[in-house]
Amino acid sequence: SQLEVRILAQFSQDKLLCSQFNTGEDIHPQVGHEILGWPIEVIKKEEKARVIAKGIHFGIIYGSKPKAIWKKCLRYGIKVSLQEITDAYNRYFKRYRGVKEWIEYAIGYTERCHHSLPTLFGRSRPVRVDDPGNHESHWANVAVNTPIQGTAGDFALYCLALIRRNPNYYALLRHSMRN
């Protein structure tokens, strides 16, 4: 669960994010507490708080900016202001400095090399840097997203390959899968 966030922690080696995962508790209330200032128990129980925390966290992973995250919250029926989302987004990067540094590194690397950072399994892809210096451009989102989503995809493919390679061993799992 929370595979992309775990991959982000692995890439960024952010001390706070890694220590939060090491507690074994749900990561989203912990992150929500850090960026919203609300008690963890409130975030666990109140859907609005959880959606905001997850929206910001996954928005960062997908390369979204506050306005896009805010619009997604509104689509989920969460009444929150753009300023609240922007403030929480900015607090995220103050608390999770390792994530901020990794994102800056991923964008800088891609801008210099016109290639994404590799996944944890070593796969990479060329990225067309169509607007150098514009780190809010689509290519910058790809620079951040590719190693994270790519690693998640690689992981899923490796798991499927294991199931296919040894179907009897994984029979219960194989039969419960829909795709």
Side-chain angles (χ1 to χ4, degrees):
S1 76
Q2 304 147 346
L3 182 59
E4 290 91 349
V5 183
R6 292 174 188 277
I7 294 167
L8 176 63
Q10 178 70 30
F11 274 119
S12 70
Q13 290 297 299
D14 183 89
K15 288 181 171 67
L16 178 57
L17 190 57
C18 290
S19 71
Q20 288 173 324
F21 268 117
N22 288 336
T23 67
E25 296 293 321
D26 184 355
I27 193 71
H28 299 301
Q30 294 180 76
V31 170
H33 172 71
E34 295 293 333
I35 65 175
L36 300 169
W38 301 343
I40 289 175
E41 290 306 315
V42 169
I43 298 169
K44 284 181 179 178
K45 292 178 183 169
E46 290 189 22
E47 188 63 20
K48 173 186 174 180
R50 185 172 175 80
V51 167
I52 292 170
K54 284 179 72 172
I56 291 170
H57 213 182
F58 282 105
I60 287 166
I61 291 169
Y62 300 138
S64 299
K65 301 299 178 218
K67 191 170 186 178
I69 297 167
W70 172 67
K71 286 180 178 180
K72 190 164 189 168
C73 285
L74 294 179
R75 283 194 302 273
Y76 278 101
I78 305 296
K79 293 183 188 334
V80 62
S81 73
L82 176 57
Q83 189 60 52
E84 288 174 294
I85 294 296
T86 301
D87 291 346
Y89 183 91
N90 292 333
R91 275 192 299 276
Y92 181 93
F93 288 116
K94 286 180 182 167
R95 294 296 294 143
Y96 299 93
R97 289 192 184 116
V99 172
K100 181 179 184 186
E101 290 169 7
W102 179 81
I103 287 173
E104 290 169 354
Y105 172 76
I107 290 171
Y109 177 90
T110 303
E111 191 169 27
R112 285 188 311 279
C113 302
H114 293 261
H115 218 270
S116 66
L117 288 172
T119 68
L120 290 175
F121 296 94
R123 191 171 53 83
S124 188
R125 73 179 194 183
V127 177
R128 190 174 136 230
V129 179
D130 54 359
D131 191 4
N134 180 2
H135 296 172
E136 296 202 14
S137 184
H138 174 71
W139 72 264
N141 291 353
V142 171
V144 173
N145 184 266
T146 295
I148 296 171
Q149 289 293 111
T151 297
D154 290 348
F155 184 73
L157 289 174
Y158 283 117
C159 290
L160 290 171
L162 286 172
I163 292 168
R164 178 148 176 110
R165 183 173 283 165
N166 195 347
N168 292 333
Y169 185 77
Y170 297 105
L172 290 175
L173 179 61
R174 186 172 49 88
H175 290 296
S176 67
M177 295 173 60
R178 296 207 185 338
N179 294 322

